[in-house]
Amino acid sequence: MLTLSIWMGAIITLCCFSFLFKDNPFYRFAEHLFVGVSAGYYFSAISFHQVLKPNLLAKLFPASFGSGQEALAAPELWLIVPTILGILMLFRLSQELAWVSRFTVAFVMGVTTGLTIVLSTHQFLIPQIKKAIVPLFLKGQYIASFSNWVLVIGSIACLFYFFFSTEHRGPIYGTVSRVGIWYLMISFGAAFGATVMGRISLLIGRFQFLLQDWLKLI
Amino acid sequence: MGMWTIPETPPKDEKFSAEEIDSFIQTFAKEIVRRKMSVPAVIALEMAKPLSFLGHSACVVMGPLIEMVFDPKKIEKMTSILSERCHIERLLETIETMENSVEKAGG
Amino acid sequence: MVFLKRTLPLIITFSTGIIMILAFFSGPDVPKLKSLEDEVQKWTQIIFVFTMVLGEVSLLRLNLDKVSRKVDGWGYNLVLVIGFVSMTLLGFIAGFESRIEKGQSYWWIENALVNQKFVTVEGVEIDKDGNATVAVVDQNGEKSTTQTTKLKGSIMAWFSSCEQVVFDGVFKAAQATMFSLLAFFVASASFRAFRVKSKEAVLLMGSAFIVMIGNVPVGNFITELFSKIELGPFNLGFVDIPALKEWIMTYPSSAAQSAILIGAMLGYISASLKVMAGVERSYLGGEN
């Protein structure tokens, strides 16, 4: 089985690398197989076995799906509510009855919007604003002061940029939003650099797999 | 109708006509250029080209969730664009052309 | 019908939204309301699974439709369907636990492909947290304990191995290789970016370059090299690439990220308020 897995991995790896030449049937084959397998994996192993089974089935039918002490617990019947809401979602498969899924969508939207308003303010908005409020004049610490200026100017300039209701023109608004764009470019660049590093390490891993596990050359 | 033929041009069986896709590409490119985000958009699109089909499939699978937040029509068009790499290339070229014309106009 | 199709969903959205806000602000004196915050999140997780099922069915339908109409390249769509069906079946069957009985023999699976051994169950104990621990003895008479989830009957063990073969051979290999391909497209992406707008591209690529070399030993090597360069009265020793990388990440990059998050959250909150108040109704779809 291990040998079969290594050979399959090597063939799929080579099929994927063939895209460097050009778009070709081998790459398309690997790409479609990957999408099919990952959709199947998320469907069965993640959605069913990791979410639905422990959170719904094991609680609704503990004797059949529960393990350990859980199997002896009483069924939590209130979980029928999300089950019904989930099943209503499947009505989208029919064109005439698709409107039935609106109750589920409305429930999910209500929950997420209600939570968003309070949680995102509490967990993201306030901490981010706090992060941008730093002392601008530090006695004797010129580099730290300069860095804090950079941070504050950057935060304000980027926020100016994100205000799309008005055209980014004029000596003040235009200039500040342009500075915001520069900051955004630096930030995207940093993210891009980190991504490329990650991809290169993945690439090294693939070559290691081909040369070490498959061909046993190193 | 080859079993393993890679379609040279976008397949005709799509939900939207070529004109509809074209106009969506134009609108999308215009918004990117208007927001002065051409450089990161070009980099992201160029690098994501090999993964376009993954993106397309993810959009289909996550569609019912994404449609709760964004306009379903736009999501479907985006999914259509991602389904073929040639659409992404067209989007890239449109951004480049628009950006060059803005530069020439001194904007 | 309009009440059912439009008004009732709007009422549901508004009332659940208000309940969630109240649940967030309720203190420990109202435990039932407070517990709703976690409980309802679990409900949405369950609903999301059903939504995913809907998405998966759409993906399957889309591809089966292409196969049945035999469009150009329908073979690839068939490959996708076969991959989906086989992995679903394998994952579904392999995920179930075998019923553990004293005196019976099972495969003890740590890793389905490289680490399996045949053991006999000596006893099952349930600890105070409700977790089951199984005492086993292997064929050499060596005793040890494990969890019930790691013990499988022969058929289940075979399915587990098959699932692992497809997972390692296709999923892991394709995922890592496809994402690693992006490393090759850096050059063409950079070229196109410079062609579009050179000023912004210089900033983006410059910071990317510093972050990249700041992360690897070459960064330290360049820093050392600079410290040895003397340009008349000037010494370039102050150029410290790893420190510069840290500075970029902590100040300009962090400023932009904060602004992105603040902007996104403000937009998200305003959109949420619109949805709750019933001003924004596009999520309900259709005209009716």
Side-chain angles (χ1 to χ4, degrees):
Chain A
M1 283 287 199
L2 184 63
T3 317
L4 179 68
S5 158
I6 289 173
W7 271 86
M8 269 171 86
I11 292 167
I12 292 291
T13 303
L14 293 177
C15 284
C16 290
F17 277 141
S18 71
F19 186 78
L20 294 172
F21 170 58
K22 66 172 191 176
D23 196 0
N24 64 74
F26 295 107
Y27 180 75
R28 290 240 166 182
F29 171 84
E31 164 186 76
H32 281 72
L33 185 62
F34 172 58
V35 169
V37 166
S38 45
Y41 179 74
Y42 281 110
F43 182 50
S44 58
I46 309 283
S47 297
F48 183 79
H49 283 294
Q50 283 183 26
V51 182
L52 215 55
K53 205 170 79 172
N55 293 332
L56 181 73
L57 298 174
K59 285 176 180 163
L60 215 48
F61 311 105
S64 311
F65 292 96
S67 61
Q69 201 84 321
E70 207 178 39
L72 309 169
E76 295 177 25
L77 292 174
W78 50 264
L79 281 171
I80 290 173
V81 181
T83 312
I84 293 171
L85 285 171
I87 292 169
L88 290 186
M89 200 66 199
L90 301 180
F91 276 84
R92 279 196 174 197
L93 291 168
S94 145
Q95 266 189 339
E96 293 87 55
L97 292 171
W99 64 271
V100 177
S101 69
R102 285 181 183 186
F103 301 121
T104 312
V105 175
F107 175 79
V108 173
M109 287 306 280
V111 171
T112 44
T113 52
L115 281 175
T116 298
I117 292 168
V118 283
L119 283 182
S120 54
T121 311
H122 185 67
Q123 287 174 354
F124 296 103
L125 196 59
I126 295 170
Q128 290 305 324
I129 293 171
K130 265 188 191 166
K131 218 171 105 182
I133 301 172
V134 286
L136 293 175
F137 301 100
L138 295 163
K139 207 174 170 188
Q141 296 174 298
Y142 302 112
I143 294 177
S145 299
F146 169 73
S147 301
N148 286 353
W149 272 97
V150 168
L151 185 78
V152 173
I153 291 172
S155 305
I156 295 169
C158 289
L159 281 173
F160 259 80
Y161 166 77
F162 282 118
F163 192 67
F164 290 118
S165 309
T166 320
E167 274 286 305
H168 293 173
R169 287 185 190 280
I172 297 173
Y173 197 65
T175 316
V176 177
S177 66
R178 178 155 285 272
V179 173
I181 292 173
W182 294 342
Y183 270 90
L184 285 170
M185 291 302 147
I186 293 173
S187 177
F188 289 147
F192 176 67
T195 310
V196 172
M197 292 292 291
R199 302 296 179 246
I200 290 173
S201 74
L202 270 178
L203 189 67
I204 295 168
R206 287 333 285 163
F207 279 119
Q208 231 168 12
F209 167 77
L210 288 177
L211 300 174
Q212 201 172 14
D213 299 348
W214 185 46
L215 297 174
K216 304 204 185 309
L217 290 177
I218 50 172
Chain B
M1 296 286 178
M3 186 176 178
W4 305 107
T5 315
I6 298 174
E8 289 282 318
T9 51
K12 294 175 198 77
D13 56 293
E14 284 177 43
K15 256 186 183 169
F16 303 101
S17 65
E19 290 75 34
E20 275 178 300
I21 294 285
D22 249 0
S23 100
F24 185 69
I25 286 177
Q26 292 285 334
T27 318
F28 198 70
K30 212 162 104 184
E31 284 305 307
I32 289 171
V33 174
R34 190 174 77 87
R35 284 171 163 77
K36 299 185 175 74
M37 282 293 128
S38 317
V39 171
V42 163
I43 291 177
L45 287 169
E46 177 69 21
M47 284 182 70
K49 245 197 266 173
L51 305 177
S52 71
F53 185 71
L54 288 190
H56 159 77
S57 307
C59 276
V60 174
V61 174
M62 308 293 281
L65 273 180
I66 308 172
E67 283 169 12
M68 289 185 198
V69 188
F70 299 103
D71 180 4
K73 261 276 171 294
K74 282 183 187 163
I75 296 299
E76 277 183 16
K77 282 182 184 166
M78 198 64 222
T79 310
S80 253
I81 287 180
L82 287 172
S83 68
E84 284 301 326
R85 274 180 269 279
C86 50
H87 287 316
I88 296 188
E89 185 54 41
R90 249 200 358 247
L91 178 58
L92 272 164
E93 281 165 6
T94 315
I95 294 172
E96 284 174 345
T97 319
M98 281 186 180
E99 190 58 62
N100 284 338
S101 57
V102 168
E103 289 271 295
K104 272 182 196 157
Chain C
M1 210 55 174
V2 175
F3 174 78
L4 263 183
K5 284 185 175 178
R6 192 151 284 269
T7 317
L8 189 58
L10 289 175
I11 293 170
I12 293 173
T13 304
F14 179 74
S15 43
T16 42
I18 292 292
I19 290 169
M20 292 321 290
I21 293 173
L22 287 177
F24 180 82
F25 285 111
S26 63
D29 291 338
V30 204
K32 280 221 164 127
L33 192 59
K34 190 76 193 158
S35 68
L36 269 182
E37 205 187 324
D38 291 329
E39 215 53 65
V40 174
Q41 281 192 58
K42 278 184 198 158
W43 287 19
T44 45
Q45 248 188 1
I46 293 167
I47 295 168
F48 282 161
V49 171
F50 283 94
T51 316
M52 287 285 282
V53 171
L54 189 67
E56 308 261 1
V57 172
S58 304
L59 184 72
L60 208 58
R61 242 179 15 181
L62 188 83
N63 283 281
L64 280 173
D65 176 56
K66 283 185 179 171
V67 173
S68 67
R69 285 192 294 116
K70 292 205 168 30
V71 296
D72 266 351
W74 62 274
Y76 308 113
N77 302 98
L78 185 66
V79 167
L80 190 150
V81 173
I82 293 170
F84 177 81
V85 173
S86 48
M87 192 59 185
T88 302
L89 284 176
L90 288 174
F92 194 73
I93 298 168
F96 280 106
E97 292 163 24
S98 298
R99 193 164 285 278
I100 307 297
E101 281 172 31
K102 198 178 164 185
Q104 293 288 320
S105 295
Y106 299 91
W107 285 99
W108 178 3
I109 300 173
E110 283 295 339
N111 177 315
L113 295 182
V114 289
N115 196 355
Q116 285 194 20
K117 59 181 174 179
F118 205 55
V119 292
T120 306
V121 172
E122 286 199 317
V124 183
E125 268 181 32
I126 295 175
D127 64 16
K128 56 179 186 292
D129 298 326
N131 302 318
T133 316
V134 191
V136 292
V137 58
D138 67 10
Q139 284 166 315
N140 302 326
E142 202 176 304
K143 290 183 179 185
S144 41
T145 56
T146 183
Q147 291 148 343
T148 47
T149 46
K150 289 185 177 168
L151 294 180
K152 295 203 185 276
S154 297
I155 299 171
M156 297 288 262
W158 186 80
F159 273 107
S160 281
S161 298
C162 288
E163 188 208 15
Q164 200 66 38
V165 166
V166 182
F167 183 76
D168 286 355
V170 179
F171 183 82
K172 264 168 82 174
Q175 190 187 36
T177 318
M178 285 173 94
F179 283 94
S180 74
L181 275 183
L182 303 194
F184 290 101
F185 286 82
V186 175
S188 63
S190 312
F191 171 71
R192 287 189 94 145
F194 276 108
R195 211 169 52 177
V196 167
K197 229 174 182 175
S198 47
K199 250 185 288 170
E200 273 88 346
V202 165
L203 272 175
L204 197 147
M205 289 298 166
S207 99
F209 182 71
I210 292 168
V211 167
M212 278 192 279
I213 59 166
N215 266 328
V216 287
V218 180
N220 292 319
F221 176 72
I222 294 173
T223 306
E224 256 178 57
L225 209 68
F226 271 131
S227 66
K228 286 173 190 160
I229 296 173
E230 301 261 348
L231 293 170
F234 300 109
N235 185 313
L236 291 177
F238 63 90
V239 181
D240 184 344
I241 304 282
L244 189 58
K245 179 218 114 191
E246 265 323 299
W247 187 83
I248 287 177
M249 300 297 274
T250 323
Y251 294 99
S253 175
S254 167
Q257 277 169 16
S258 287
I260 291 172
L261 264 174
I262 293 170
M265 285 305 133
L266 288 174
Y268 204 26
I269 290 167
S270 82
S272 297
L273 283 170
K274 276 187 196 167
V275 168
M276 264 179 68
V279 179
E280 169 64 53
R281 301 170 178 195
S282 65
Y283 66 95
L284 293 177
E287 289 301 309
N288 300 314

